[in-house]
Amino acid sequence: MSNIYSEGQVLLINKPYDWTSFDVVRKIRNLLKIKKIGHAGTLDPLATGLLILCTGKFTKKINEYMAQEKEYTGTIILGATTSTYDLESIPENFKDCSHITENDVAEAAKTFTGNIMQVPPIYSAIKKDGKRAYEFARKGQDIELEPRKITITDFSTALNYPEVHFKIVCSTGTYIRSIANDLGVKLGCGGYLSALCRTRIGNFHLKDAWTMEEAEIKINESLHQNG
């Protein structure tokens, strides 16, 4: 049965913590009972925030939305590292960095703004020799990923030791986990991402997104009205 969703809609979802982006797509697909649905830009399971879903003919716009500027807020923990650059793995290599000041962090953050080359994390879905990078990483195999050009237009920070609270505005393809790790390297004490929320994609804002509970209610209501 045709409905507004099978024709084509853009849905803004606030992805829950510990859900994969595909978990969200699968849940919404089951609610809508349609096959043609996809998302515009993956969020890691431990990240929350704005996920754009496109249905029907709007799936043609996915690449257009993915290419738009992103905005994130989150927290970096200083004084340790993790192999995945976030809390998917256990913190190690602990160092005392209580001497680091708010100005130190702000000055280090400035070095990451503008057009920069970023090496993606090895625990990522980027392909190397036909395999996903994380497949090598999980086997303990060292691989080198090529740096990629990204743009960071804003990287503002506030230090509440050992936490660095931040806002980053960046181009598509930017790995915030890598920024967390690289900031720790720059400060000489290590760092990893402990929280991340995507607050904007282009002109789409998190404040306009549905929670999964709201999505279920709204979708069921609209399907009933159009049924």
Side-chain angles (χ1 to χ4, degrees):
M1 182 180 67
S2 178
N3 58 48
I4 58 170
Y5 299 105
S6 58
E7 289 298 313
Q9 291 287 310
V10 173
L11 302 176
L12 306 184
I13 302 294
N14 184 353
K15 188 191 84 65
Y17 182 82
D18 220 18
W19 284 49
T20 68
S21 297
F22 186 70
D23 287 339
V24 175
V25 171
R26 184 168 48 217
K27 174 70 174 176
I28 300 297
R29 179 186 284 134
N30 289 339
L31 287 171
L32 297 176
K33 297 178 173 58
I34 61 173
K35 289 183 179 177
K36 203 167 185 182
I37 181 171
H39 67 77
T42 303
L43 279 174
D44 289 335
L46 299 188
T48 62
L50 182 60
L51 194 66
I52 297 177
L53 268 58
C54 298
T55 73
K57 64 186 178 186
F58 278 83
T59 55
K60 293 177 182 176
K61 291 181 173 284
I62 283 177
N63 287 340
E64 176 190 327
Y65 294 145
M66 283 180 67
Q68 294 181 9
E69 182 179 76
K70 314 287 195 305
E71 179 183 281
Y72 297 89
T73 59
T75 307
I76 297 166
I77 303 292
L78 299 180
T81 62
T82 77
S83 59
T84 56
Y85 302 169
D86 63 8
L87 282 173
E88 286 274 9
S89 52
I90 304 297
E92 56 188 3
N93 303 318
F94 291 92
K95 278 188 181 178
D96 175 38
C97 50
S98 55
H99 60 283
I100 289 173
T101 66
E102 183 144 7
N103 188 60
D104 292 334
V105 175
E107 288 300 310
K110 280 182 189 175
T111 66
F112 295 97
T113 57
N115 296 321
I116 65 169
M117 300 300 290
Q118 182 186 68
V119 178
I122 58 169
Y123 282 90
S124 65
I126 289 171
K127 285 198 171 179
K128 174 87 172 180
D129 301 331
K131 287 185 178 180
R132 301 289 185 185
Y134 62 73
E135 294 179 52
F136 293 100
R138 286 172 181 169
K139 292 176 182 175
Q141 298 172 350
D142 284 333
I143 57 167
E144 282 193 25
L145 295 177
E146 294 298 316
R148 307 189 307 175
K149 185 179 177 181
I150 61 166
T151 303
I152 298 178
T153 51
D154 182 34
F155 187 3
S156 51
T157 57
L159 177 64
N160 182 18
Y161 181 79
E163 298 179 341
V164 175
H165 302 283
F166 66 83
K167 182 180 85 171
I168 289 175
V169 179
C170 58
S171 63
T172 188
T174 302
Y175 281 90
I176 308 299
R177 285 183 287 143
S178 284
I179 294 173
N181 180 77
D182 295 347
L183 182 71
V185 170
K186 187 78 178 176
L187 291 167
C189 64
Y192 61 89
L193 188 67
S194 66
L196 184 66
C197 179
R198 185 158 64 197
T199 51
R200 181 173 63 82
I201 301 173
N203 292 320
F204 297 100
H205 293 264
L206 177 60
K207 63 181 175 61
D208 300 317
W210 291 339
T211 64
M212 292 305 293
E213 293 79 9
E214 288 169 337
E216 187 162 0
I217 293 167
K218 302 273 189 183
I219 286 169
N220 285 333
E221 282 177 355
S222 63
L223 290 177
H224 181 72
Q225 289 167 3
N226 289 276

